[in-house]
Amino acid sequence: TAAGLVETLAEDALLVVGAAGGSWLQRQLLGPGHRLLVNAPGGAVVVRDAPRRAFHRMVDAAGFGVGPGMAVRDAVQVVHHASVPVADGGKLVGIFRPAATHDESATVAEVMETPVSIRVDEPLEAASALRRFLEGGPVPVVDREADLAGVVL
């Protein structure tokens, strides 16, 4: 029985009951959820061990980034990390490092670096290497469309 199965699970196991993989439309049209539904028609999926993913630890990016049109002199005043994401219209467009030597009359867009990030579904360990590169600053997390979904602190 289902109750018997639940009692045999490890304390940290994840039991997903119901239609796995998002909405009905997502399951029908988009990969993994559809495969789960086909392979587990009863609607139950048991995951005994799964790596922590970026979305488990990410927080909202609000307050951890700047916009490309912001003046460097203003950005330096509001940024409290060694590096922060630069977002424009919800898209990750760069990385700003306030401690770097900048012309204070420039805009963030003129001095930002190429963006680096991890995807929401990547293992959390992927953030470790980027955290070193970003000198402990928040690690940008993006979705499939490269929208800034959050940051890992």
Side-chain angles (χ1 to χ4, degrees):
T1 69
L5 173 65
V6 170
E7 289 176 11
T8 65
L9 294 175
E11 191 172 304
D12 60 348
L14 170 66
L15 175 63
V16 178
V17 179
S23 72
W24 177 86
L25 183 60
Q26 289 170 324
R27 288 190 311 275
Q28 298 306 310
L29 301 176
L30 307 172
H34 177 68
R35 288 191 298 275
L36 278 174
L37 185 62
V38 169
N39 293 330
V45 177
V46 177
V47 179
R48 294 208 180 272
D49 184 30
R52 301 281 296 164
R53 302 287 181 191
F55 67 85
H56 289 118
R57 291 278 310 275
M58 77 179 190
V59 297
D60 189 10
F64 293 102
V66 294
M70 183 178 249
V72 167
R73 72 178 152 281
D74 296 333
V76 168
Q77 298 298 314
V78 298
V79 171
H80 303 291
H81 295 281
S83 61
V84 294
V86 180
D88 188 16
K91 298 279 185 200
L92 178 65
V93 295
I95 299 293
F96 175 69
R97 296 180 192 264
T101 304
H102 301 300
D103 173 2
E104 288 202 354
S105 65
T107 64
V108 168
E110 295 171 316
V111 300
M112 68 185 182
E113 299 174 10
T114 302
V116 293
S117 63
I118 59 174
R119 290 184 323 274
V120 294
D121 60 346
E122 282 191 79
L124 198 51
E125 294 80 33
S128 296
L130 277 184
R131 187 178 317 278
R132 285 188 297 279
F133 174 74
L134 297 170
E135 302 173 68
V139 176
V141 180
V142 296
D143 61 18
R144 287 184 179 174
E145 289 78 37
D147 289 331
L148 184 59
V151 296
V152 173
L153 298 175

